[in-house]
Amino acid sequence: MSRSKHFDVIVIGSGPGGEGAAMGLTKAGLKVAIIEKESSVGGGCTHWGTIPSKALRHAVSRIIEFNSNPLFCGNNTSLHSTFSNILGHAKTVIDKQTRLRQGFYDRNECALLFGTARFVGQNALEVTKADGTVDHYTAKKFVIATGSRPYRPDDVDFSHPRIYDSDSILSLEHDPRHIIIYGAGVIGCEYASIFRGLDVKTDLINTRERLLAFLDNEMSDSLSYHFWNSGMMIRNDETYSKIEGTEDGVIIHLKSGKKMRADCLLFANGRTGNTDALNLGSVGLEADSRGQLKVDSNYQTKVDHVYAVGDVIGYPSLASAAYDQGRFVAQAITKGEAEGNLIEDIPTGIYTIPEISSVGKTEQELTEAKVPYEVGRSSFKHLARAQIAGKDVGSLKILFHRETKEILGIHCFGERAAEIIHIGQAIMEQKGEANTIEYFVNTTFNYPTMAEAYRVAALNGLNRLF
């Protein structure tokens, strides 16, 4: 493909946000280039974040499933693996995703430029390639979709061979018997599940009072109990004063006076927008202290010809939302205004073992707003499909308005929760009388299925009304 020096739009970053923008812009007939600093497309989502961590999780959950199945566990047969061994599974998935996404750009004749981008003027940037050579490009407009990276505080020595972040942990070669995970957000909890599932002694340090405090309290409590029941140590409301790398491990000194020791440490406490290398000052932009950019409803920064999408603009920092933001910014550039916007109730999927997924309001939010709601619950242990699969840990909870019966929130804990949630989300998105909990009573579900949890929960909730 010819490497023209001038484009209608240059997109910086080939993660979900950049991909969504580039595809929308090329399909509208614009001459588009996308710049990727790594050697293959996909961004952090494909190479270090969403895809590898979920591939690892899947492999571990299948090992757990085999070892807990009564057909196998009574025959002195059990599966064992190590983190470094199952990384191979993640790599095959990454390769498949990379080839798929590379095809999108090739078919849509979007120029792919590999190297690190840096603005050198209002409409110009330079791209430094892996061999050190520099190319210069100009464009009428730019989309910044550079994503984020793990936050690395200056007082933690990440060059030490036993101190990792959520990117470098994917290069773990030794097999720890004991790991400390500092930070109990989504990433920390997901990796805690993976390591504990591999029978690694796991200590989870939470800088807040409860796990994943943004969740409905019942879901957060379920996860805490499940972690505790699996043998994990959780220390809530703790922060470090010093992290000390030793010859064969790590010692973490907590401000409370405690000290903890392990073979290695995963630091998973926060992320930073990838804007520091862009030389934003040359186009009149400045990122905030977290490396993020402010945008309007058209994803336009304060500089008219520069737009931004994805993690680099902050909330919701989800791959699914970033792709939509990319589509919307393509509309804004080609039509003058974004025709779409993110839905109000964005589902969250947390790939712990078991999964957690939610959409809509939590009980604490509804209580604070003084909304008269009722609760319908279904326990997975009572579902035939869950009993057949041996996946009886978990539950589905539907929150609905006592008078209108409108569905206000759905919260699920258990295997396939992130899939199950979409059934309820589809009904929640309907308007007026189409969005009521009675839908789940009046429809017919396949039997046996996990989806049947909605009928059970709806009946349970309606029985509470008087």
Side-chain angles (χ1 to χ4, degrees):
M1 185 180 294
S2 64
R3 293 297 172 95
S4 169
K5 298 294 185 182
H6 181 76
F7 297 90
D8 293 321
V9 185
I10 291 178
V11 180
I12 309 172
S14 69
E19 180 185 305
M23 293 301 101
L25 292 164
T26 55
K27 289 178 188 299
L30 296 186
K31 189 177 179 183
V32 181
I34 191 159
I35 301 172
E36 174 52 55
K37 68 180 176 66
E38 301 299 330
S39 58
S40 56
V41 299
C45 169
T46 299
H47 293 279
W48 301 282
T50 306
I51 298 302
S53 63
K54 279 48 173 181
L56 289 167
R57 178 218 178 267
H58 178 82
V60 173
S61 62
R62 296 292 78 84
I63 291 170
I64 295 170
E65 182 179 3
F66 179 91
N67 289 337
S68 60
N69 190 316
L71 289 172
F72 309 118
C73 62
N75 300 326
N76 295 319
T77 304
S78 63
L79 288 178
H80 296 282
S81 191
T82 61
F83 188 86
S84 53
N85 283 342
I86 62 171
L87 276 171
H89 170 58
K91 287 183 171 63
T92 61
V93 178
I94 291 167
D95 290 344
K96 288 177 183 177
Q97 284 289 307
T98 298
R99 287 196 298 272
L100 175 76
R101 311 207 110 66
Q102 176 81 39
F104 296 159
Y105 299 112
D106 294 343
R107 286 198 302 276
N108 287 279
E109 297 185 346
C110 176
L112 260 172
L113 310 175
F114 288 100
T116 303
R118 180 177 181 271
F119 285 105
V120 290
Q122 281 293 320
N123 293 88
L125 52 73
E126 61 182 26
V127 176
T128 304
K129 294 188 286 189
D131 62 6
T133 58
V134 178
D135 290 334
H136 291 81
Y137 300 93
T138 57
K140 296 173 188 173
K141 296 185 177 180
F142 299 89
V143 178
I144 298 172
T146 46
S148 63
R149 64 182 183 275
Y151 169 61
R152 287 187 161 195
D154 294 336
D155 60 350
V156 178
D157 179 13
F158 287 94
S159 67
H160 192 279
R162 295 301 181 95
I163 298 176
Y164 300 90
D165 64 21
S166 58
D167 284 358
S168 61
I169 196 73
L170 295 172
S171 301
L172 180 74
E173 292 180 350
H174 71 101
D175 295 310
R177 291 170 297 173
H178 184 186
I179 188 171
I180 295 170
I181 299 177
Y182 184 85
V186 173
I187 295 171
C189 286
E190 288 182 353
Y191 272 105
S193 285
I194 289 168
F195 279 104
R196 192 68 201 107
L198 290 170
D199 210 25
V200 177
K201 183 179 179 182
T202 304
D203 292 340
L204 182 61
I205 300 175
N206 183 17
T207 59
R208 304 190 178 184
E209 291 183 2
R210 60 185 301 127
L211 290 184
L212 305 176
F214 60 89
L215 289 175
D216 185 273
N217 282 351
E218 191 173 334
M219 298 297 109
S220 172
D221 290 344
S222 295
L223 182 65
S224 295
Y225 175 79
H226 192 78
F227 277 181
W228 171 81
N229 202 40
S230 73
M232 194 184 302
M233 168 68 78
I234 305 171
R235 295 194 183 275
N236 292 320
D237 212 13
E238 296 273 15
T239 52
Y240 77 90
S241 59
K242 185 171 76 167
I243 293 175
E244 176 189 352
T246 65
E247 189 176 329
D248 59 350
V250 178
I251 299 171
I252 184 167
H253 302 254
L254 301 175
K255 288 183 179 176
S256 63
K258 302 182 188 74
K259 286 200 294 188
M260 301 168 68
R261 182 188 182 93
D263 300 337
C264 63
L265 178 135
L266 168 59
F267 191 97
N269 199 40
R271 295 185 68 82
T272 302
N274 289 323
T275 51
D276 50 320
L278 288 173
N279 191 30
L280 292 173
S282 69
V283 286
L285 282 176
E286 184 181 358
D288 65 17
S289 60
R290 297 171 66 186
Q292 296 173 351
L293 293 167
K294 288 186 171 56
V295 294
D296 63 16
S297 59
N298 287 315
Y299 300 95
Q300 191 172 33
T301 67
K302 70 174 186 177
V303 177
D304 289 351
H305 67 292
V306 181
Y307 300 76
V309 295
D311 279 16
V312 82
I313 65 171
Y315 178 84
S317 293
L318 297 169
S320 53
Y323 191 87
D324 287 339
Q325 290 168 345
R327 291 192 304 114
F328 301 148
V329 81
Q331 295 168 0
I333 290 171
T334 56
K335 302 178 180 179
E337 186 176 2
E339 295 175 343
N341 54 275
L342 293 179
I343 58 173
E344 183 179 345
D345 293 316
I346 298 172
T348 59
I350 300 166
Y351 295 85
T352 46
I353 304 173
E355 294 174 8
I356 303 173
S357 196
S358 299
V359 64
K361 302 297 184 186
T362 64
E363 283 205 58
Q364 52 267 37
E365 286 172 336
L366 293 173
T367 299
E368 188 176 341
K370 294 184 169 54
V371 175
Y373 73 92
E374 195 47 87
V375 182
R377 285 189 183 83
S378 170
S379 178
F380 285 1
K381 67 184 178 183
H382 298 140
L383 299 178
R385 183 62 182 265
Q387 292 168 356
I388 291 166
K391 297 291 182 184
D392 56 358
V393 171
S395 63
L396 176 76
K397 176 164 76 169
I398 306 175
L399 309 178
F400 63 100
H401 198 287
R402 282 187 64 92
E403 279 118 38
T404 67
K405 301 186 181 68
E406 175 190 2
I407 301 167
L408 304 171
I410 304 169
H411 306 276
C412 188
F413 176 75
E415 182 70 9
R416 305 288 178 185
E419 302 282 356
I420 293 167
I421 204 75
H422 291 126
I423 300 166
Q425 180 198 15
I427 304 306
M428 274 185 71
E429 286 292 307
Q430 307 307 306
K431 304 303 176 191
E433 293 182 5
N435 172 13
T436 75
I437 194 172
E438 290 176 328
Y439 169 85
F440 299 119
V441 176
N442 296 328
T443 197
T444 303
F445 290 92
N446 278 333
Y447 179 84
T449 57
M450 296 303 293
E452 192 195 359
Y454 280 97
R455 181 180 63 82
V456 176
L459 287 168
N460 176 265
L462 291 170
N463 283 341
R464 295 177 191 275
L465 298 179
F466 56 87

